[in-house]
Amino acid sequence: EIMMTQSPAIVSVSPGDRVTLSCRASQSVHSNLAWYQHKPGQAPRVLIYNAVNRVPGIPGRFSATGSGTEFALTISTLQSEDFAVYSCQQYNHWPLTFGGGTKVEIK
Amino acid sequence: QAQLVQSGPEVKQPGSSVKVSCRPSGDTFKNFAIYWVRQAPGRGLEWMGGFLPVVGPAENTHYFFARAFEDRLTITTDESTNTAYMELTGLTSDDTALYYCARGLQLWARDWGQGTLVTVSS
């Protein structure tokens, strides 16, 4: 089973800041990685697929990089609606696995 | 806005089973991969299992499960009612969680249900 490790677990930032979240796989997942945003009381929402592709309708302030074992999600100018938990998921190996998530909270 | 509609909250006794349903609003599950994911209180998302439809001359479905659930998780679909089901047996307090169904045309989950809270308590 592929282990996905996200860091940091919590990041405190202010609206307008730029933040980069990290996700590391225990072995290569190539570019088979997605990023999700999750808010309390709401269903998760996919932001990024195939490591770097933004899902249609997702704002351009969300961007992602990486392949193999190292991945990153950047939010360039944080808006109030971006405070949430962000999780990465690999889909290169069965079973599919999620990282533990990074909570982006207001400083 | 959830495009998958799940059944309502459940309270279960330890040792019992729970069955959660999921159906799409406005279309069908045909050709979609279906996944079940849960989130326990204070924890991250946990992929439980799912299936991939294989479309072709010999249609088939491939099921996959996380190791933690392979002995007690059953995933089924009812084409006549366009509904997917997740049944988890041998419930313990550790199974108290919000359970989501999700689907995608690829292996990432594009659409999600609203979640079903399952509480295991004596």
Side-chain angles (χ1 to χ4, degrees):
Chain A
E1 183 170 306
I2 305 295
M3 297 295 294
M4 306 300 294
T5 303
Q6 292 187 241
S7 61
I10 302 174
V11 61
S12 299
V13 292
S14 301
D17 284 354
R18 176 188 181 93
V19 66
T20 297
L21 315 179
S22 295
C23 172
R24 174 176 292 175
S26 59
Q27 64 187 80
S28 176
V29 298
H30 303 287
S31 294
N32 296 311
L33 183 114
W35 287 94
Y36 299 87
Q37 179 192 65
H38 194 192
K39 298 180 182 179
Q42 297 184 22
R45 176 173 73 149
V46 62
L47 305 173
I48 302 287
Y49 67 96
N50 292 353
V52 299
N53 297 120
R54 202 164 43 244
V55 170
I58 298 302
R61 62 182 181 273
F62 291 93
S63 63
T65 60
S67 66
T69 61
E70 300 285 341
F71 302 88
L73 174 71
T74 298
I75 311 172
S76 59
T77 307
L78 269 160
Q79 305 295 307
S80 57
E81 61 266 30
D82 300 334
F83 291 96
V85 175
Y86 294 83
S87 298
C88 60
Q89 180 215 359
Q90 67 82 20
Y91 47 91
N92 192 69
H93 300 276
W94 297 102
L96 310 187
T97 47
F98 286 94
T102 293
K103 182 178 181 180
V104 177
E105 65 175 24
I106 300 175
K107 183 184 291 184
Chain B
Q1 183 177 347
Q3 295 168 281
L4 302 177
V5 180
Q6 297 183 223
S7 49
E10 303 263 13
V11 179
K12 293 293 183 179
Q13 297 272 338
S16 68
S17 302
V18 67
K19 193 170 186 177
V20 178
S21 69
C22 170
R23 59 177 176 79
S25 58
D27 61 2
T28 73
F29 278 128
K30 189 173 178 62
N31 299 331
F32 281 93
I34 303 295
Y35 309 112
W36 290 91
V37 175
R38 76 178 186 181
Q39 184 175 30
R43 304 195 66 175
L45 298 174
E46 182 178 23
W47 190 83
M48 301 174 65
F51 66 84
L52 299 179
V54 178
V55 180
E59 292 191 9
N60 204 348
T61 300
H62 294 175
Y63 291 85
F64 300 90
F65 300 95
R67 199 169 301 141
F69 301 101
E70 59 189 3
D71 293 335
R72 61 191 189 103
L73 176 63
T74 302
I75 296 172
T76 56
T77 57
D78 183 338
E79 290 188 8
S80 67
T81 59
N82 195 30
T83 303
Y85 297 93
M86 180 281 296
E87 183 172 22
L88 191 63
T89 62
L91 295 172
T92 72
S93 58
D94 289 341
D95 294 314
T96 293
L98 194 55
Y99 288 77
Y100 292 100
C101 65
R103 71 176 181 179
L105 291 172
Q106 301 179 47
L107 296 183
W108 46 275
R110 187 192 75 181
D111 305 321
W112 291 74
Q114 83 278 17
T116 295
L117 181 62
V118 175
T119 303
V120 182
S121 174
S122 54

